[in-house]
């Protein structure tokens, strides 16, 4: 599976962005999908995950209530709707798929996209 993240950009604090993660291949619907982010000088951190069926969704506390993860298996695409953005959300955002282990750990994911930059200005 190849993943392509897109939708990043520059937005003012309080604004919104929607990230997309397009997957190649016909097996995307079988995999859980997660979003991570990495700010300059920091480790990559978990943001959200959605199970293959879409029934199990979990968020990092820092984004709960502001971000929404979703997926459209018919389109082989996952999404991350980000609202009420703050400068602390500035990072490169990565999508990942196929979990073996803890959904919050980067080492649990087999496939990764290339990342998309999100910059939130104050």
């Amino acid at each position: 599976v190849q993943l392509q993240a897109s939708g990043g950009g520059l937005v003012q604090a309080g604004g919104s962005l929607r990230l997309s993660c397009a997957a190649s291949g016909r097996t995307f619907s079988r995999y859980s999908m997660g979003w991570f982010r990495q700010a300059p000088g920091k480790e990559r951190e978990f943001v959200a995950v959605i199970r293959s069926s879409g029934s199990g969704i979990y968020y990092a506390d820092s984004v709960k209530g502001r971000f929404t993860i979703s997926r459209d298996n018919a389109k082989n695409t996952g999404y991350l709707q980000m609202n009420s953005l703050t400068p602390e959300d500035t990072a490169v955002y990565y999508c990942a798929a196929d979990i073996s282990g803890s959904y919050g750990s980067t080492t649990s994911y087999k496939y990764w996209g290339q990342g998309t930059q999100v910059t939130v200005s104050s």
Side-chain angles (χ1 to χ4, degrees):
V1 174
Q2 291 185 323
L3 304 176
Q4 179 81 27
S6 62
L10 174 63
V11 64
Q12 288 187 332
S16 299
L17 282 174
R18 188 175 83 154
L19 305 183
S20 297
C21 179
S24 64
R26 293 174 288 180
T27 58
F28 174 73
S29 62
R30 294 164 50 185
Y31 301 135
S32 295
M33 187 197 74
W35 287 95
F36 286 74
R37 66 186 182 184
Q38 188 166 19
K42 294 187 177 181
E43 293 187 352
R44 194 170 299 189
E45 65 174 4
F46 168 76
V47 174
V49 65
I50 184 169
R51 297 299 188 187
S52 56
S53 64
S55 60
I57 292 176
Y58 305 94
Y59 296 98
D61 287 343
S62 59
V63 306
K64 202 172 294 183
R66 300 188 299 122
F67 290 12
T68 302
I69 190 171
S70 62
R71 65 190 297 159
D72 185 339
N73 287 336
K75 296 182 178 179
N76 279 359
T77 303
Y79 304 97
L80 185 68
Q81 177 67 43
M82 306 186 296
N83 299 328
S84 301
L85 286 162
T86 73
E88 288 68 38
D89 296 315
T90 295
V92 178
Y93 284 71
Y94 298 88
C95 59
D98 194 5
I99 300 171
S100 178
S102 169
Y103 63 74
S105 173
T106 58
T107 59
S108 298
Y109 292 76
K110 184 175 182 179
Y111 303 108
W112 288 86
Q114 86 291 357
T116 185
Q117 176 71 47
V118 172
T119 303
V120 185
S121 63
S122 58

